[in-house]
Amino acid sequence: MEVNVTRRQFLKLSGAVAATLAVVELGFDEKSAKAQSEEFKIAKLTPTPTICPYCSVGCGILVYANENDVVYTEGDPDHPINEGTLCSKGTTVRQVYTSEKRVTKPMYRAPGSAKWEEVDWDFALDKVAKNIKETRDKTFMEKENGITVNRTDAIAYLGGAALDNEECHLLQKLFRAGLGLSYIEHQARI
Ligand code: SF4
């Protein structure tokens, strides 16, 4: 009879067999080992699949989180791109959440100032919207050398690898079709 196992099932099975052999051969107390394994930090957590935000390879990552913390991250063995592997950047992705240097509020540096200061989201969004409108109004070109171009070269947009297809579609509509930007780039182009 043919038995079909997924990659994840195979890895779990291999791990279970190896663990059982180790227990039997080394004479460990199986019940005690099982009790201890239930205290492993991710034993009772359900992983949430996500995509690595760093580059356009787009590796799959499993995030184990409780109510207060991201406890552990690892490569997703079921993901077709990376099949459970991660590079050194992806392996340390948990630090995006845990780093003391993580910026959690919008920061603003006023013209001429050398100091960044925390601002609220209303201020930040209003400021961005106002600057975009003023810049576009000042620099929008309907024609260049007699050819209709309907664009501004004074604003650029930089996206990131964490954007999904639907978000990219909406952003293209807004920035390219809506505002006339031609400088639209991505941090992870390879
Ligand atoms: S940074 Fe590394 S882990 Fe993340 S998507 Fe790129 S190759 Fe994959």
Side-chain angles (χ1 to χ4, degrees):
M1 185 181 70
E2 189 182 338
V3 179
N4 290 320
V5 281
T6 64
R7 181 181 169 84
R8 180 193 295 277
Q9 286 166 336
F10 175 75
L11 289 173
K12 273 190 181 162
L13 197 59
S14 310
V17 169
T20 306
L21 287 174
V23 164
V24 172
E25 290 191 4
L26 298 174
F28 288 157
D29 177 348
E30 194 180 342
K31 278 189 188 150
S32 156
K34 185 167 183 300
Q36 283 185 29
S37 77
E38 283 173 3
E39 288 170 20
F40 287 164
K41 59 186 181 180
I42 62 169
K44 294 188 180 138
L45 299 178
T46 305
T48 302
T50 189
I51 305 295
C52 176
Y54 286 133
C55 93
S56 56
V57 173
C59 297
I61 291 179
L62 296 177
V63 179
Y64 294 84
N66 59 28
E67 281 171 17
N68 307 311
D69 196 12
V70 173
V71 177
Y72 182 65
T73 54
E74 65 181 2
D76 183 349
D78 288 339
H79 197 279
I81 301 290
N82 56 316
E83 298 184 333
T85 62
L86 291 174
C87 76
S88 52
K89 281 176 74 179
T91 304
T92 57
V93 74
R94 181 169 166 265
Q95 292 170 10
V96 169
Y97 177 78
T98 59
S99 171
E100 286 174 8
K101 295 180 180 166
R102 181 183 177 206
V103 178
T104 57
K105 294 193 174 147
M107 304 293 290
Y108 175 68
R109 182 163 62 84
S113 169
K115 203 176 83 185
W116 288 91
E117 52 189 302
E118 274 184 17
V119 293
D120 62 34
W121 280 103
D122 281 345
F123 174 91
L125 293 172
D126 284 351
K127 184 80 184 151
V128 170
K130 186 165 163 276
N131 285 2
I132 288 177
K133 167 100 174 63
E134 279 177 9
T135 306
R136 184 177 182 275
D137 287 350
K138 257 192 257 171
T139 60
F140 192 76
M141 294 184 287
E142 287 184 8
K143 289 189 183 289
E144 189 177 49
N145 299 328
I147 299 169
T148 301
V149 292
N150 285 332
R151 73 164 195 262
T152 170
D153 291 338
I155 307 173
Y157 173 78
L158 181 67
L163 295 169
D164 61 27
N165 282 348
E166 290 72 21
E167 287 165 331
C168 287
H169 177 79
L170 291 172
L171 289 165
Q172 287 285 354
K173 276 175 100 169
L174 171 64
F175 290 115
R176 199 179 293 280
L179 297 176
L181 271 61
S182 52
Y183 297 135
I184 297 178
E185 257 297 354
H186 190 281
Q187 124 275 5
R189 180 184 286 248
I190 60 172

